[in-house]
Amino acid sequence: MASAKLLVLVLFFLCNLPEALTDSASCYRIEPWTIAIIVSADLVLTLIIVAVTYRCASFRRRKIDNANKVYMNVRANCKST
């Protein structure tokens, strides 16, 4: 969480950097809150993707583990053949 706050702080300072380096008024300026919203949305989207991937992988793993279980009546059927 501290690294996210540091990243937002660095982005706020970088937004003002082009204005300090150039005298040109034709530079496109992005507001700091816009960058903060973009970074926050990216973090939320990344967390959603990770959660969905984990959920699907664990469901698939559970399905494979259940398929490998041997039940009593299955073993009895295998012995008779």
Side-chain angles (χ1 to χ4, degrees):
M1 189 67 176
S3 63
K5 288 181 182 178
L6 179 64
L7 178 64
V8 171
L9 185 63
V10 168
L11 288 175
F12 282 141
F13 285 118
L14 288 177
C15 285
N16 294 327
L17 188 61
E19 194 172 277
L21 294 178
T22 63
D23 293 332
S24 174
S26 65
C27 292
Y28 181 75
R29 179 167 162 73
I30 299 176
E31 295 295 325
W33 59 268
T34 304
I35 294 176
I37 290 173
I38 291 171
V39 169
S40 300
D42 182 45
L43 289 173
V44 169
L45 185 61
T46 301
L47 289 175
I48 289 171
I49 290 170
V50 167
V52 168
T53 303
Y54 177 78
R55 183 78 171 152
C56 290
S58 65
F59 178 72
R60 186 173 182 198
R61 179 70 182 169
R62 223 176 312 139
K63 198 172 176 183
I64 291 172
D65 287 344
N66 288 339
N68 289 334
K69 287 183 181 176
V70 178
Y71 298 108
M72 184 61 87
N73 57 355
V74 174
R75 288 174 59 194
N77 289 339
C78 291
K79 288 181 181 179
S80 65
T81 56

